[in-house]
Amino acid sequence: MKITPDQIFESRTKLAKGLSGVLLFGPDQGMIFEKISQCIEIVAGTPTNPFMVSELTPTQIKSDPPRLTAELCALPMMGVQKIIVVRTATDSIADVFEAALDAVPMPNFLLVEAGDLPARSKLRKTFEGHDKAIALQLFERTEREFEAWVKENLREKQVQLEPDAETALLQTLLE
């Protein structure tokens, strides 16, 4: 399944309906971190709630492959969907993700982060080829997009800067 980042993050129900997992990858690690945070909030509400979010490392997955499937299939303690996050994933554990995504039933949601992956990446193909998962390649923002993003975030936080201070902040962030 192929979908754009805007489509996946537009609403809570859009993400939850019909999807069991998302792979976020690309060269811009800052953007990937931001999208992971968004995704956690969409699925789990509050990212600090330890009953709603579980993180596994690639090392943990390699040493105990069934653990990922067990986490995804476990009934959530609070009766709502839990999110399982795996950071810095690589092709070496793609088979484990494939097995986990094929598990039925899966009440929880899998969110995987990887660096820049080529089209032939096994991990990328696992998510792109699965009917309940997607792979999203995130590209670096242009300078103009970055400025708009910073201004939007300042507005959301109700932070007002003098024009000179805003210009200085943007120049510093873009360096």
Side-chain angles (χ1 to χ4, degrees), residues 21-85:
V22 172
L23 167 67
L24 298 175
F25 69 99
D28 189 340
Q29 291 301 301
M31 182 182 286
I32 290 172
F33 180 83
E34 173 191 336
K35 293 299 182 185
I36 284 177
S37 297
Q38 263 185 320
C39 200
I40 289 170
E41 288 176 12
I42 289 169
V43 174
T46 306
T48 56
N49 184 338
F51 297 110
M52 300 296 293
V53 180
S54 179
E55 290 212 26
L56 295 176
T57 66
T59 304
Q60 289 171 316
I61 293 170
K62 280 181 191 176
S63 67
D64 185 11
R67 182 174 177 188
L68 179 61
T69 301
E71 286 276 353
L72 287 166
C73 292
L75 292 176
M77 182 179 239
M78 303 303 214
V80 292
Q81 190 175 43
K82 181 176 170 182
I83 188 165
I84 293 37
V85 179

Side-chain angles (χ1 to χ4, degrees), residues 152-160:
E152 178 185 328
N153 278 282
L154 289 172
R155 229 182 350 269
E156 284 177 8
K157 305 265 189 257
Q158 299 177 349
V159 174
Q160 293 181 334

Side-chain angles (χ1 to χ4, degrees), residues 29-155:
Q29 291 301 301
M31 182 182 286
I32 290 172
F33 180 83
E34 173 191 336
K35 293 299 182 185
I36 284 177
S37 297
Q38 263 185 320
C39 200
I40 289 170
E41 288 176 12
I42 289 169
V43 174
T46 306
T48 56
N49 184 338
F51 297 110
M52 300 296 293
V53 180
S54 179
E55 290 212 26
L56 295 176
T57 66
T59 304
Q60 289 171 316
I61 293 170
K62 280 181 191 176
S63 67
D64 185 11
R67 182 174 177 188
L68 179 61
T69 301
E71 286 276 353
L72 287 166
C73 292
L75 292 176
M77 182 179 239
M78 303 303 214
V80 292
Q81 190 175 43
K82 181 176 170 182
I83 188 165
I84 293 37
V85 179
V86 180
R87 298 182 190 274
T88 64
T90 62
D91 284 345
S92 67
I93 53 175
D95 293 338
V96 179
F97 289 116
E98 188 170 359
L101 288 168
D102 287 338
V104 179
M106 190 186 312
N108 298 318
F109 190 83
L110 176 63
L111 180 59
V112 180
E113 169 217 301
D116 205 9
L117 299 172
R120 67 185 180 283
S121 162
K122 191 173 181 181
L123 181 61
R124 183 173 167 178
K125 285 182 178 185
T126 296
F127 280 80
E128 286 176 344
H130 203 280
D131 61 337
K132 294 181 188 170
I134 58 170
L136 293 177
Q137 184 171 14
L138 303 177
F139 297 96
E140 293 183 40
R141 291 184 178 101
T142 64
E143 189 172 314
R144 188 176 183 168
E145 291 170 329
F146 183 75
E147 286 181 23
W149 176 79
V150 169
K151 289 177 181 180
E152 178 185 328
N153 278 282
L154 289 172
R155 229 182 350 269

